[in-house]
Amino acid sequence: MTEKLLEVKNLVKYFPVRGGVFSRVRAQVRAVDGISFDIEEGETLGLVGESGCGKSTAGRSILRLLEPTSGEIKFRGTNIVGLEREKMRLLRREMQIIFQDPYASLNPRMTVGSIVGEPLTIHKIAKGKERDKKVAEILEKVGLRPEHMRRYPHEFSGGQRQRIGIARALALNPKLIIADEPVSALDVSIQAQVINLLEDLQKEFGIAYLVISHDLSVVQHICDRIAVMYLGEIVEIADADELVMSSRHPYTEALLSAVPVPDPGALNKKKRILLRGDVPSPVNPPSGCRFHTRCPYKEDKCSAEVPPLRVISGGHMTACHFAEKIFASSAATA
């Protein structure tokens, strides 16, 4: 069995809401509320959900760019929650991030050589000509030229800037990269190039990815498994193809129905599920199943009891009281 590279158990991240004269804590924004999953060596896990579900907060909490409220984050068997600063700094060599916005994530006052070479300097891996040589090699790996080292970010297109961000993440030869919406800010034609680049780098270096996205079509293409988030909780986890072909949660079913169909002739065959109402506030989430306020299959039990994330079959897990019943009726009408 492949070794678990990352194990996340009951990860919680709350943000305080302050008010009044003394700025006392009035409430908590429950951005991430007890999620658990793992990633194996060289695996790609997709974390999907609509905007505001907490997926980016989860990614940043795993790297401790945001300090988790509670829970365990084990990287190669070591719980990094509460890990002292120096030990955490050493671990950062193996855990990197690609940010969503290639325009905001690069310092406009630094050359590309300085941006990509900065991690090598901070971690005292290389300096001077040796550093420049390593930077040139990394730039070539991501499809850029060594002479680009002397240029500034504003001289590049969006796709090229994201390649610079990937090169920076790749500089320390990490084992895990968290890609936070890595292609959402790019043109569709450039998206395919960047996705293919990430896959090629994974094959060459054995990198594991946590790909955070709202686009199920992108995630299905690049990921081995997919975890679906709703309002701070994971509601379904399964192999990518299995989740797309036979989802077991009403929210996942609705997300899949919204994925664009490339074949116009198939549009009439596809059933579109329109969810009514808005996403509830993470400050005051609904009781029981958090999705029950928008679920077309809800019953009384849904508002009274929290559904556990349970195994349906093999590695397929869902948090729905009536998953078997809903799936059976869907299969009968298909």
Side-chain angles (χ1 to χ4, degrees):
M1 186 176 178
T2 309
E3 179 188 353
K4 294 288 192 296
L5 179 69
L6 178 73
E7 295 177 84
V8 177
K9 295 181 180 179
N10 300 317
L11 178 63
V12 173
K13 178 58 184 177
Y14 291 171
F15 294 96
V17 178
R18 300 181 182 274
V21 177
F22 299 103
S23 294
R24 292 174 178 167
V25 177
R26 301 293 186 185
Q28 298 278 0
V29 177
R30 302 163 105 184
V32 179
D33 206 3
I35 66 172
S36 300
F37 61 86
D38 55 65
I39 300 176
E40 297 180 352
E41 297 267 4
E43 183 188 22
T44 301
L45 175 71
L47 190 61
V48 302
E50 56 197 322
S51 297
C53 72
K55 54 189 187 295
S56 291
T57 300
R60 292 173 187 237
S61 298
I62 289 168
L63 293 179
R64 284 187 57 195
L65 298 178
L66 296 171
E67 286 296 333
T69 303
S70 64
E72 284 187 1
I73 304 167
K74 289 185 177 180
F75 183 77
R76 287 187 163 180
T78 301
N79 186 7
I80 67 172
V81 176
L83 198 65
E84 57 189 64
R85 185 173 180 179
E86 183 58 26
K87 289 182 179 179
M88 191 64 215
R89 189 180 73 83
L90 293 173
L91 266 179
R92 290 196 190 282
R93 295 185 185 185
E94 301 186 78
M95 306 168 69
Q96 292 293 310
I97 186 169
I98 300 168
F99 293 99
Q100 175 179 359
D101 188 351
Y103 293 88
S105 61
L106 303 178
N107 190 332
R109 294 185 175 89
M110 295 174 68
T111 63
V112 170
S114 298
I115 290 170
V116 178
E118 188 176 35
L120 299 172
T121 302
I122 290 173
H123 290 274
K124 300 178 181 178
I125 293 173
K127 61 181 180 180
K129 291 183 178 179
E130 184 185 358
R131 189 190 79 157
D132 291 344
K133 181 182 177 182
K134 285 184 176 293
V135 170
E137 291 173 354
I138 295 166
L139 290 178
E140 288 184 323
K141 291 287 185 187
V142 300
L144 297 173
R145 298 194 299 272
E147 55 264 33
H148 287 153
M149 290 172 56
R150 295 181 289 275
R151 297 185 186 178
Y152 289 86
H154 73 270
E155 300 178 68
F156 295 89
S157 66
Q160 288 175 318
R161 290 188 189 202
Q162 195 62 300
R163 289 174 186 267
I164 295 167
I166 293 170
R168 176 176 58 187
L170 199 65
L172 296 173
N173 193 23
K175 294 300 179 185
L176 172 68
I177 291 180
I178 294 179
D180 187 3
E181 300 272 12
V183 297
S184 64
L186 308 178
D187 293 337
V188 174
S189 59
I190 305 301
Q191 286 182 9
Q193 295 176 21
V194 172
I195 289 170
N196 290 335
L197 172 62
L198 291 173
E199 289 183 317
D200 292 341
L201 293 172
Q202 184 177 49
K203 291 175 183 176
E204 183 173 354
F205 298 104
I207 304 166
Y209 291 126
L210 173 62
V211 178
I212 297 168
S213 179
H214 64 275
D215 191 338
L216 266 169
S217 58
V218 169
V219 170
Q220 182 192 5
H221 178 74
I222 195 175
C223 295
D224 301 306
R225 291 186 300 137
I226 299 174
V228 181
M229 277 191 77
Y230 181 79
L231 204 64
E233 296 181 341
I234 289 179
V235 297
E236 188 167 12
I237 303 177
D239 289 341
D241 292 337
E242 183 178 347
L243 184 134
V244 171
M245 296 302 295
S246 56
S247 60
R248 299 292 197 279
H249 195 281
Y251 177 62
T252 309
E253 185 183 37
L255 284 182
L256 289 168
S257 77
V259 175
V261 179
D263 179 11
L267 285 174
N268 294 330
K269 300 177 184 177
K270 185 171 182 179
K271 179 183 176 184
R272 182 70 189 273
I273 299 172
L274 298 176
L275 298 177
R276 300 186 180 277
D278 297 323
V279 180
S281 169
V283 177
N284 186 27
S287 60
C289 174
R290 294 190 174 180
F291 185 61
H292 84 265
T293 58
R294 305 170 73 196
C295 182
Y297 308 105
K298 65 182 177 182
E299 297 186 20
D300 292 341
K301 184 178 180 180
C302 299
S303 59
E305 297 181 23
V306 177
L309 186 64
R310 58 193 175 88
V311 176
I312 294 291
S313 62
H316 198 145
M317 304 178 71
T318 188
C320 177
H321 291 302
F322 306 105
E324 292 87 352
K325 175 182 174 182
I326 294 168
F327 174 70
S329 61
S330 299
T333 57

